[in-house]
Amino acid sequence: MTEKLYYWAENLNGYSSDNKQEYDQIIEIKRLNFFIGKNNAGKSRFLRELFLSKYRIHDYNNLDVKQFYTKIYPIVNSINPTSIGKKSTFGGTYKSDLLIKLDQLNNLPTKCSVEKRYTLKDEISHYTVGNNADGAQFSGVKDKYLQSYTKLYVPILRGMRPVTEDQNKQPYIERAQKDYFYDKEKYNSTNIITGECLYHELKIHLLGEPEQREIIKQYEEKLSQFFFDNEKITLIPKHNQDVVNIKIGNDKQFPISELGDGLQQVIILTYEAFIRNDATHAFFIEEPELHMHAGMVRQLMNFYLNETNHYYFFTTHSNHLLDMADESDQVIIQKFVKDPNKEDSNKFDFKIYRCDRDRDQLASLGVKPSSVYLANCTIWVEGITDRLYITKYMEKYLAGLKNSDERLYKKYRRFMPNYHYTFVEYAGSNLVHWEFSDEFTDHLNDQGMNALLTTSSVLLIADGDIQGKGNRVEQLTESLGDQFHLLTCKETENTLPSNIIHYACNIKYSGLESALSHEIELRNTLTNYLSVGGMQSDTKDGFDITQLLNDQNYFHTKDGIGKIIDAKIKVGTPRTAENKPKKCFADSSGTIKDKLKFCRLILTLMDHIEWELTDSAKDLCETIFKHINTANSK
């Protein structure tokens, strides 16, 4: 995603947004869009109005316009004018008119009227070309960019089990039509997903063409990989029944009604998204977490991000999805607040706020400190940056296993965060307050608190800089054995790949424009999501960033990378006004300044630049996955 995208709908009276545009009726969107807020805060109505809107995401943004123009213009330009028409009339000025409209569409400014962009696209979509090779080529490009986009709505009322004996009755869809969608010709089973049609959809595909059967096979493989612990899955629309049957591994097949409600929801929410993956669509989903364990909901979101190309809009009350905004730049959270109208006490205003790590989110979702779910094992890390780095490492490690060891990949790929494992951030200075032995601990004396009484099966990852701090390493080794992993370097930042550190330092030092003069796509991404700028000149005095060599592997030592970088790039012996050694990248401890901001920069670079796991990072991943596997095999 290289530019910010926005969206809205026509009939949203009373709604406004603080997305800091010239107008207050717009929200920023990404691949996964979560709408949170208290009950009756206006989330569901907003979701449905987006679904009902005649406007599509492309109409609010210049998405694909350049690609469309580049492909369609030479095709139109080469076609005989007599073959180009509109409706049933051909010839005349249709070719020149179409070329003019294509130029107009291509030259529209980014912030033009959405109605103007929509009208131009709509007019272009009505042009046709005769029934020949040129016509097929023209229609193929036009359909791909202008007509293949579909909106699909998934209401709260959904299920794979029929609720009536009447043939050809779809009560859930009929209820949605009665409540929200009066035009039944326009809103029906073609764009309302309730699960009621799944039996017939499967039958059509499995009794259809080879490619239809193949896509069902691929879908079953993805279900197995993401949700069924790599057990082979077969979906069967059994003859003389009205409900889908399922076969898991070597077990006997059984009706879907005997499967857990959460897994039925998974099938409803993933089937259409995967089957329609030949184009990009928009899904509007009410409460995706319905009946699902928290870890499975996150796995569902990973499925959407990794296995589909669509845009998703969710209303949700699940707090377990909030930290996804930290882990992916394709996730955004919008909070809805309902306030009395200042001019009319009988009316209400609905305000939409962009939020990421806003503590008020939890209050909006009704989350209390007691709302805690225990995973099967815990991985203790020093802080948020360690958690974010390690999560990215684990993704990279799995991607490598996919090609090198498919058996191990299938075993490890099934592990879901917040279900099979979760992270605990302990903060380095607080580690001394925790006891990791099985012995009884009196929290009133100086032995500390017993970690094993608060979390399940612990793997403790500690920075190398705790060595030399008393006998703490010896105590932890004695208590935890191989469940204690001590980094050989000072901290997790020392395990980062050198080329990514080099890139990040150049960006922080020089600013985006000079550091990324050629990487336009990456520069746009960083500008939009991180707002990174260059260092102040007085900070840089006495340092030369060109002395930081890209191909050198000098970050993986016992010093902090901030101190290492400063030592490499300093010119002479720069001093502060107080005659103290001057620092550019390092803080007082030698680590990198602004650790969290630096971490977010690193994670974004990792999404756009080729990199490999360092030996220490790979060793860390192997330890973590072995721990998770052991804890989930008991």
Side-chain angles (χ1 to χ4, degrees), residues 310-351:
H310 311 305
Y311 291 87
Y312 298 89
F313 301 84
F314 310 99
T315 61
T316 182
H317 291 104
S318 173
N319 60 296
H320 302 286
L321 298 172
L322 299 185
D323 63 352
M324 289 196 73
D326 282 330
E327 299 167 11
S328 172
D329 62 5
Q330 298 184 73
V331 177
I332 193 169
I333 301 168
Q334 306 278 1
K335 181 174 67 175
F336 285 64
V337 177
K338 179 182 179 181
D339 291 322
N341 186 281
K342 294 179 180 179
E343 298 178 358
D344 187 342
S345 59
N346 294 319
K347 296 181 179 180
F348 294 92
D349 294 324
F350 299 93
K351 188 78 172 179

